[in-house]
């Protein structure tokens, strides 16, 4: 064997691995696009020529102007795009990067419009017959999920598994309601317009407190982080339920009755048709969520601190040899994650409904954890995964207004869509190498 032949032979196994990965990706894309085409064809065959009405607003009002849409034309366009996706996937010509993402978005949007046109066909008159703008409902559902997903990304990039997001949500929601209510009823030196934002401070502090418990047992006592996260969720659920039960009925208005945050319109941007009011006439917490995605991405990938956090999440021993304080960085990441998750929990009270109710987060912390994995531990992609799940949850709410789809299937729709997307477009994912592994300095 010559020396020249050695590199080529050593690279062969790596090439085979890449080829197998490409084949798996190709098969997944063919299956997903073919499924989309088959469903759109089914929509077309089960409906005659029809039209549907839609609203640019989230709900009908006196000023609403419903518009009509040719459902048959929509179905044909969606079918052509889905079949084009099948052909490109079968020939392994689906582009990567921006063009590939554009293709996925076009196929997904066309499928969504065709599906909604089919679902709302022949529904009669009135609000139930109109397809409403899904963006406001999506933002409402996705805001806490995005903050929870960012909390999970920050922690796990540092090597700490954060199963306790649900507990941080509950603690943040209860504390935000309590802080805002006390500020409203008892602290005369705080202006009325600052009472609800004061609740955000309470939510952030409560989330950091729960994270401190996570950090203490995971980093100091090296408890199994998965078991620890589940225990913390159970503890937070029981504690917030107990504290809520201890509030006397005569004190509910003083301790659990905050005024929700008021929407703030961004000049010019809020006047953009269709998306302006939905995205830029929101509360300060929603704007903080927008900023948090950018800030976390910059922190992790554009700063020395982020480089060190990623280093201790991938190879803590190597990081320790160059003088990085591994557990100190992990503590910082865990507390930052708690702050973000606490703000996410605050959305359930001062950000939307006002008063705290037992188990009001309803398991969304685990959905945020799934968004972390679906987004490959990247803050932007995890946020988009959270938005996707919020979109599907909102879709289920819209479909509950019509009688075309069984209610049980509507409830399972967000999870089913998430499984399809993960199987078809995400595939196998690799967490940070030292995720969940405690570090003991030699």
């Amino acid at each position: 064997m010559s020396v020249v032949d050695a590199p080529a032979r050593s690279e062969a196994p790596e090439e085979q691995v890449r080829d197998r990965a490409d084949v798996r990706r190709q098969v997944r894309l063919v299956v997903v696009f073919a499924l989309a085409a088959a469903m759109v064809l089914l929509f077309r065959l089960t409906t005659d020529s029809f039209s549907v009405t839609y609203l640019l607003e989230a709900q009908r009002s006196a000023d609403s102007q419903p518009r009509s849409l040719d459902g048959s034309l929509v179905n044909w366009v969606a079918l052509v795009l889905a079949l084009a996706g099948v052909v490109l996937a079968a020939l392994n010509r689906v582009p990567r990067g921006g063009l590939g993402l554009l293709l996925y978005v076009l196929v997904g949007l066309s499928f969504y419009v065709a599906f909604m046109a089919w679902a709302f066909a022949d529904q009669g008159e009135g609000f139930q017959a109109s397809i409403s703008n899904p963006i406001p409902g999506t933002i409402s559902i996705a805001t806490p999920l995005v903050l929870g997903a960012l909390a999970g990304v920050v922690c796990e990039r540092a090597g700490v598994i954060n199963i306790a997001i649900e507990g941080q949500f509950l603690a943040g929601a209860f504390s935000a309601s309590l802080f805002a209510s006390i500020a409203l009823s008892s602290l005369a030196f705080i202006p009325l317009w600052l009472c609800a934002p004061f609740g955000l401070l309470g939510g952030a502090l409560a989330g950091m407190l729960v994270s401190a418990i996570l950090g203490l047992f995971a980093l100091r006592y090296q408890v199994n982080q998965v078991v620890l996260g589940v225990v913390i969720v159970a503890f937070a659920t029981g504690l917030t339920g107990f504290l809520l039960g201890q509030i006397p009925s005569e004190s509910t208005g003083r301790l659990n009755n905050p005024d929700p945050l008021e929407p703030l319109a961004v000049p010019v941007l809020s006047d953009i048709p269709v998306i302006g009011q939905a995205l830029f006439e929101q509360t300060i917490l929603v704007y903080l969520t927008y900023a948090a995605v950018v800030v976390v991405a910059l922190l992790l990938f554009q700063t020395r601190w982020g480089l060190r956090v990623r280093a201790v999440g991938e190879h803590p021993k190597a990081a320790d040899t160059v003088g990085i304080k591994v557990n100190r960085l992990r503590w910082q990441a865990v507390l930052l994650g708690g702050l973000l998750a606490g703000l996410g929990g605050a959305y359930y009270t001062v950000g939307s409904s006002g008063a705290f109710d037992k188990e009001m987060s309803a398991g969304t912390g685990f959905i945020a954890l799934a968004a972390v994995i679906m987004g490959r531990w990247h803050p932007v992609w995890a946020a988009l995964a959270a938005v996707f799940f919020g979109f599907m949850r909102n879709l289920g709410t819209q479909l509950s207004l019509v009688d075309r789809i069984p209610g049980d299937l509507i409830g399972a729709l967000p999870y089913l869509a998430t499984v399809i997307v993960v199987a078809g477009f995400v595939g196998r994912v690799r967490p940070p190498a030292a995720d969940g592994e405690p570090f003991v300095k030699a």
Side-chain angles (χ1 to χ4, degrees), residues 74-397:
V74 168
N75 282 345
W76 281 119
V77 171
L79 181 60
V80 169
L81 285 174
L83 289 176
V86 173
V87 172
L88 290 175
L91 297 176
N92 200 17
R93 291 293 184 270
V94 177
R96 298 178 183 270
L99 290 177
L101 180 62
L102 179 62
L103 175 63
Y104 302 148
V105 170
L106 286 176
V107 173
L109 285 178
S110 62
F111 179 82
Y112 165 75
V113 175
F115 175 70
M116 294 298 285
W118 169 80
F120 280 80
D122 304 323
Q123 292 298 314
E125 301 294 334
F127 171 72
Q128 292 184 347
S130 301
I131 305 172
S132 58
N133 188 347
I135 300 177
T138 299
I139 295 298
S140 176
I141 297 172
T143 296
L145 296 179
V146 170
L147 289 168
L150 292 177
V153 169
V154 170
C155 290
E156 298 203 20
R157 279 287 186 170
V160 179
I161 299 176
N162 190 359
I163 304 290
I165 298 174
E166 176 74 5
Q168 294 162 351
F169 276 176
L170 288 171
F174 178 82
S175 184
S177 176
L178 181 66
F179 271 55
S181 299
I182 292 176
L184 182 65
S185 61
S186 303
L187 301 181
F189 61 89
I190 295 182
L192 290 177
W193 62 273
L194 268 181
C195 291
F198 188 69
L200 299 182
L201 174 63
L205 291 175
M208 293 179 70
L209 178 60
V210 175
S211 281
I213 298 174
L214 172 65
L216 176 65
F217 286 95
L219 302 178
R220 178 66 178 85
Y221 297 107
Q222 301 174 13
V223 176
N224 182 283
Q225 295 173 15
V226 175
V227 176
L228 175 62
V230 174
V231 171
I232 290 177
V233 170
F235 171 72
T237 302
L239 180 62
T240 53
F242 169 76
L243 294 176
L244 179 64
Q246 299 308 301
I247 299 178
S249 57
E250 62 272 11
S251 300
T252 300
R254 184 169 59 87
L255 298 177
N256 190 26
N257 189 30
D259 288 338
L261 295 166
E262 294 292 334
L264 301 173
V266 178
V268 181
L269 294 179
S270 60
D271 297 327
I272 299 175
V274 182
I275 65 171
Q277 188 176 7
L279 295 178
F280 302 109
E281 192 171 337
Q282 293 285 352
T283 64
I284 187 175
L285 183 53
V286 176
Y287 298 136
L288 286 175
T289 303
Y290 298 162
V293 177
V294 178
V295 170
V296 171
L298 292 177
L299 275 177
L300 286 178
F301 298 105
Q302 300 295 329
T303 66
R304 180 182 297 179
W305 182 84
L307 177 62
R308 291 180 174 182
V309 165
R310 288 182 286 130
V312 302
E314 290 290 343
H315 204 309
K317 292 183 179 179
D320 179 66
T321 59
V322 296
I324 296 175
K325 305 296 184 181
V326 174
N327 284 331
R328 179 187 296 177
L329 273 175
R330 286 183 170 181
W331 263 108
Q332 294 171 0
V334 167
L335 292 177
L336 176 59
L339 184 149
L340 292 169
L343 288 176
Y347 184 84
Y348 291 105
T349 50
V350 297
S352 55
S353 64
F356 177 81
D357 195 10
K358 186 178 181 180
E359 299 180 25
M360 68 185 311
S361 56
T364 50
F366 298 105
I367 298 173
L369 187 62
V372 174
I373 301 172
M374 186 174 170
R376 296 174 178 265
W377 290 269
H378 190 286
V380 175
W381 293 114
L384 291 176
V387 171
F388 172 77
F389 198 90
F391 175 80
M392 296 307 300
R393 285 283 296 270
N394 181 70
L395 175 61
T397 302

Side-chain angles (χ1 to χ4, degrees), residues 35-45 75-76 78-79 82 110-111 114:
L35 179 62
M39 292 298 295
V40 174
L41 182 60
L42 179 62
F43 302 154
R44 181 67 191 90
L45 295 177
N75 282 345
W76 281 119
L79 181 60
S110 62
F111 179 82

